[in-house]
Amino acid sequence: MKDLIIVESPTKARTIIKYIGDNYKAIASMGHIKDLPEDSLGIDIEKGFAPKYVVISGKRKTIQEIKELSQKTKDLFLATDPDREGEAIAWHISSELKKKPYRLILHEITKEAIKDALSHPTEIDKNKVDAQQARRLLDRLVGYKISPILGQKVQKGLSAGRVQSVALRLIVERENEIEAHIPEEYWTITAKLKKDDEEFEAVLEKYLGKKLKIKTKNEADEIISKIDDSFIVERIESKEKKKQPPPPFITSKLQQEANQRLSFPAKKTMFIAQGLYEGIDVGKEGPIGLITYMRTDSVRVSDSAISEIRSYIKEVFGDKYLPPTKRVYKNKNIAQDAHEAIRPTFPLHLPSDIKKYLSNEQYKLYDLITRRFIASQMQDARILTTKVELKNKDYTFVASGKVILFDGFIKVYPVDEKEKILPTLKVSENVFLVELIPKQHFTQPPPRYTEGSLVKALEENGIGRPSTYATIISTLMDRKYIEKKEEKLYPTGLGRLVWELLLENFPKLFEVKFTAEMEDDLDKIEEGKEDWKDVLTLFYEPFSRMIDDAKKHMRNVKKEKEKETDIVCEKCGGKMIIKEGRYGKFLACLGFPKCRNIKSLE
């Protein structure tokens, strides 16, 4: 009898069996097997928020196969992903089995990690399950209670999400800021200067030692008329600064960097990363899990991986690129230490060596992850910054220079450190004016969010968690609440209307601070510090009052848009009115619901 390992995906199953196949069989659940019902709330509020889980459509055959195989095996292992969703999948599978399974925690799919997990099997973490369940029930309560009100008052098919609506708030409020921005004119004056045969630039900053603001062209012209050809070097300040490498990736930083450097949407980044984690066929070696688990808040890295990459740095780049001791990055809280950062599982499986087995997008993301990990254990970059103040009468101009003395980690993971070399200057010496360049500017509004900068804002505000960012953005797009143009996120007219109504009727519910506090409560449930039922009770009592008020007082946008016509209803003789629905405008009988006659406006 073989032992049975249950995972979520066939790719993950194949990778695991490749390493330990002789005495084991692996089967995939294809994700969740149970969820709340689609056609009802599925929560018994009176009985302590008891959920009514049902088998997901199309999963009965999978469950039956798992049940049959489990009866023919000696030991049963659940190796679903090591996060809340994975724990919930394991729990639902366990509830369908007669035999008690073991839980395997795999942060990477390598031979050593699998064997270690099999040597130290554990049990399903009920706290983690409760945290996932609390999130699912909260999201269902918000969506199921608010969405019908929006459908009734605005447009059929609309919906609201507990976390997505707060993300929508950020995008709408940023757009409001942009529209409210009144550009203010200002001018800069740049002096192109020369010492011997070397030219450089200095910008006017002060008058009589005080910061200078030039508001109009007339002011700029007046200043230019007073400046002569001779500039005197008054002060030189040079500082050497060290720039430390960034830590290896956590989920949010991977999404931000992949968006900025590769133009990958968050959803795409996570899809590609999932494939790299579960396993890629690399020729003779077969399927290999190339990266550690991609949903993590942790920057911790195993000692063995650090040792391996430090040896690589020494061999390839030399001693000067290797710090004398390993770099240790610390997490904000102890709970995160159960995970590792996102890194290559085999640091010496270099992207260039396996490029032919990867798609172009897989290669780009794997290369980004690998470079970031290598850089995280390299020496600091050393940069010399120089600031030169030059005097012309009562005006002070400033020239800035930057020289990379030692590139360090930048050699592997480039950052925005461009050299700008100044000529060799001495205090009290004269340099000469080539030309003065006045330039008109206008103050700019804050920039629209990109997917990367929105993920950063969500993270900084404590909204959602790394595993949810990609879904938040894609859901808002699917609902047509936001749209993407040239990588920037814009609210649609529908998105702005929905947010306006949510703000009017649920101001507390969709506060950034309130949503962040709810995320903290979910974390406390996972840590065993809060009871999930208590969290739901505290949430639901004021929430139900908000729902009752919204039903009575929310603006009826549908009614506002209705327009009476002279067209007669052929079924009841009443008047027809123009209504607006999901698919545009149409004619409906004013006698609704007694008369349900509708027809095309054409």
Side-chain angles (χ1 to χ4, degrees):
M1 290 176 74
K2 290 191 174 185
D3 292 336
L4 181 66
I5 298 176
I6 302 170
V7 294
E8 298 98 324
S9 82
T11 304
K12 191 172 174 181
R14 283 195 298 272
T15 308
I16 288 173
I17 288 304
K18 172 216 160 181
Y19 288 122
I20 54 159
D22 292 346
N23 298 311
Y24 295 88
K25 183 176 177 63
I27 186 173
S29 71
M30 306 303 290
H32 281 276
I33 62 163
K34 287 183 176 181
D35 197 6
L36 298 172
E38 291 183 7
D39 56 356
S40 63
L41 179 62
I43 304 170
D44 194 331
I45 294 165
E46 302 302 319
K47 292 184 178 177
F49 299 94
K52 299 173 184 176
Y53 293 112
V54 296
V55 174
I56 293 169
S57 177
K59 290 297 179 77
R60 292 197 178 279
K61 189 177 176 183
T62 304
I63 292 173
Q64 189 57 38
E65 190 179 357
I66 289 172
K67 281 181 175 180
E68 288 172 4
L69 282 171
S70 69
Q71 294 304 308
K72 300 173 187 174
T73 58
K74 188 170 64 139
D75 287 325
L76 187 62
F77 298 94
L78 299 173
T80 48
D81 288 348
D83 59 8
R84 290 176 190 169
E85 293 299 321
E87 211 70 25
I89 293 170
W91 182 59
H92 285 308
I93 293 171
S94 177
S95 70
E96 290 289 321
L97 304 174
K98 292 178 181 177
K99 187 184 293 184
K100 186 180 178 183
Y102 295 103
R103 178 78 169 106
L104 296 186
I105 303 297
L106 295 173
H107 296 292
E108 59 183 70
I109 304 176
T110 60
K111 189 173 185 178
E112 292 72 21
I114 296 164
K115 287 191 170 182
D116 184 61
L118 286 166
S119 302
H120 305 93
T122 182
E123 294 185 351
I124 291 170
D125 185 338
K126 195 60 171 60
N127 290 337
K128 206 175 262 190
V129 171
D130 287 345
Q132 188 276 343
Q133 183 165 258
R135 177 188 289 281
R136 185 72 188 93
L137 299 188
L138 281 166
D139 290 346
R140 171 54 67 98
L141 286 167
V142 171
Y144 208 86
K145 296 285 186 181
I146 296 179
S147 299
I149 304 174
L150 290 174
Q152 182 188 354
K153 306 267 189 177
V154 185
Q155 183 180 301
K156 195 174 180 181
L158 294 186
S159 56
R162 181 181 64 85
V163 181
Q164 292 96 323
S165 297
V166 184
L168 176 62
R169 175 182 195 152
L170 294 180
I171 295 167
V172 172
E173 289 183 346
R174 176 59 58 88
E175 196 68 23
N176 292 342
E177 284 181 68
I178 291 168
E179 289 177 358
H181 176 75
I182 300 170
E184 289 183 18
E185 181 183 9
Y186 70 97
W187 286 71
T188 56
I189 298 173
T190 301
K192 189 178 278 188
L193 303 169
K194 191 172 186 179
K195 186 204 171 179
D196 299 331
D197 291 329
E198 292 183 84
E199 288 188 357
F200 63 101
E201 291 183 347
V203 179
L204 176 58
E205 284 198 0
K206 296 175 186 174
Y207 174 67
L208 292 173
K210 292 184 179 178
K211 192 79 176 171
L212 180 65
K213 286 185 180 178
I214 310 168
K215 295 181 180 179
T216 65
K217 183 179 186 302
N218 287 341
E219 288 180 19
D221 289 343
E222 189 180 344
I223 291 167
I224 288 170
S225 70
K226 294 177 181 176
I227 292 171
D228 61 27
D229 292 344
S230 181
F231 284 69
I232 299 169
V233 177
E234 187 175 60
R235 195 157 73 94
I236 300 173
E237 186 182 342
S238 292
K239 283 183 182 176
E240 183 180 321
K241 67 170 186 176
K242 290 184 178 180
K243 191 176 185 74
Q244 294 185 334
F249 281 127
I250 59 175
T251 306
S252 58
K253 294 295 186 285
L254 176 63
Q255 290 176 4
Q256 290 166 45
E257 288 285 283
N259 182 252
Q260 186 180 335
R261 292 174 182 245
L262 308 176
S263 297
F264 285 1
K267 189 176 182 180
K268 184 179 195 172
T269 297
M270 295 311 289
F271 176 77
I272 297 168
Q274 182 89 38
L276 294 173
Y277 162 72
E278 290 183 350
I280 302 289
D281 196 319
V282 292
K284 290 180 183 178
E285 291 183 78
I288 289 176
L290 288 175
I291 63 169
T292 51
Y293 191 54
M294 63 286 157
R295 292 189 180 92
T296 177
D297 280 330
S298 174
V299 291
R300 184 182 68 81
V301 174
S302 70
D303 288 340
S304 60
I306 291 174
S307 177
E308 198 170 351
I309 208 63
R310 280 176 60 82
S311 297
Y312 170 80
I313 293 165
K314 183 175 182 178
E315 182 182 335
V316 174
F317 301 104
D319 285 334
K320 67 178 180 177
Y321 283 92
L322 185 70
T325 57
K326 69 179 181 182
R327 290 189 183 275
V328 178
Y329 298 95
K330 292 188 177 179
N331 296 309
K332 291 177 184 175
N333 61 57
I334 297 170
Q336 293 169 333
D337 264 1
H339 301 269
E340 271 196 73
I342 304 167
R343 61 166 177 84
T345 50
F346 301 99
L348 302 188
H349 261 305
L350 298 175
S352 55
D353 296 338
I354 58 171
K355 186 175 183 179
K356 64 182 177 182
Y357 302 110
L358 304 175
S359 71
N360 187 41
E361 290 170 340
Q362 286 174 333
Y363 170 75
K364 284 180 177 178
L365 193 66
Y366 183 55
D367 184 61
L368 185 68
I369 291 166
T370 302
R371 285 177 181 278
R372 177 88 166 210
F373 178 55
I374 295 169
S376 72
Q377 286 298 323
M378 290 179 76
Q379 269 289 16
D380 296 343
R382 289 185 6 253
I383 298 154
L384 182 70
T385 60
T386 303
K387 181 181 175 183
V388 179
E389 290 188 358
L390 302 109
K391 258 305 187 40
N392 189 294
K393 298 183 177 176
D394 293 325
Y395 296 98
T396 303
F397 286 73
V398 174
S400 298
K402 186 184 287 184
V403 179
I404 298 172
L405 300 174
F406 175 63
D407 56 0
F409 77 92
I410 294 174
K411 192 175 189 72
V412 171
Y413 196 78
V415 293
D416 188 22
E417 290 291 352
K418 292 175 183 172
E419 291 201 326
K420 187 180 174 185
I421 301 170
L422 295 173
T424 303
L425 298 167
K426 294 177 183 175
V427 173
S428 299
E429 77 173 319
N430 279 32
V431 294
F432 300 98
L433 178 67
V434 177
E435 66 173 319
L436 286 171
I437 306 164
K439 191 172 182 181
Q440 183 188 40
H441 306 268
F442 291 93
T443 56
Q444 296 296 310
R448 288 182 178 89
Y449 288 110
T450 62
E451 288 204 26
S453 62
L454 182 61
V455 166
K456 186 178 182 182
L458 293 171
E459 181 185 28
E460 287 174 348
N461 285 290
I463 302 165
R465 283 296 177 262
S467 58
T468 65
Y469 296 146
T471 308
I472 288 168
I473 296 168
S474 61
T475 301
L476 289 174
M477 286 186 182
D478 292 344
R479 289 176 178 170
K480 304 286 190 284
Y481 290 170
I482 66 171
E483 58 188 350
K484 187 156 67 170
K485 300 176 195 172
E486 297 177 344
E487 300 301 317
K488 300 287 194 295
L489 300 177
Y490 292 74
T492 62
L494 179 61
R496 297 180 87 152
L497 173 61
V498 167
W499 170 243
E500 185 183 320
L501 294 172
L502 292 177
L503 180 61
E504 285 173 5
N505 294 275
F506 303 94
K508 168 76 174 172
L509 180 62
F510 298 116
E511 277 181 0
V512 170
K513 186 181 176 187
F514 177 78
T515 307
E517 286 170 352
M518 187 59 70
E519 291 294 345
D520 289 340
D521 286 339
L522 293 171
D523 289 344
K524 286 173 185 173
I525 293 169
E526 183 173 339
E527 293 162 16
K529 295 175 182 176
E530 292 269 13
D531 183 271
W532 69 274
K533 291 182 181 179
D534 292 342
V535 170
L536 282 167
T537 301
L538 283 169
F539 169 82
Y540 189 73
E541 288 174 3
F543 175 66
S544 61
R545 290 193 295 272
M546 289 184 222
I547 292 293
D548 291 339
D549 287 343
K551 285 177 181 176
K552 295 173 191 170
H553 302 122
M554 184 181 283
R555 274 172 55 207
N556 195 323
V557 179
K558 273 186 181 177
K559 288 280 184 194
E560 291 171 9
K561 289 183 177 180
E562 286 177 5
K563 190 176 178 182
E564 196 171 310
T565 72
D566 294 327
I567 300 168
V568 176
C569 174
E570 64 270 24
K571 291 190 177 179
C572 72
K575 282 190 175 181
M576 302 287 280
I577 58 171
I578 297 173
K579 285 192 166 190
E580 194 169 320
R582 194 173 182 180
Y583 303 106
K585 293 178 179 179
F586 63 96
L587 285 166
C589 183
L590 193 57
F592 181 86
K594 286 184 180 178
C595 178
R596 294 179 174 268
N597 186 24
I598 62 169
K599 58 185 179 180
S600 166
L601 190 60
E602 293 164 11

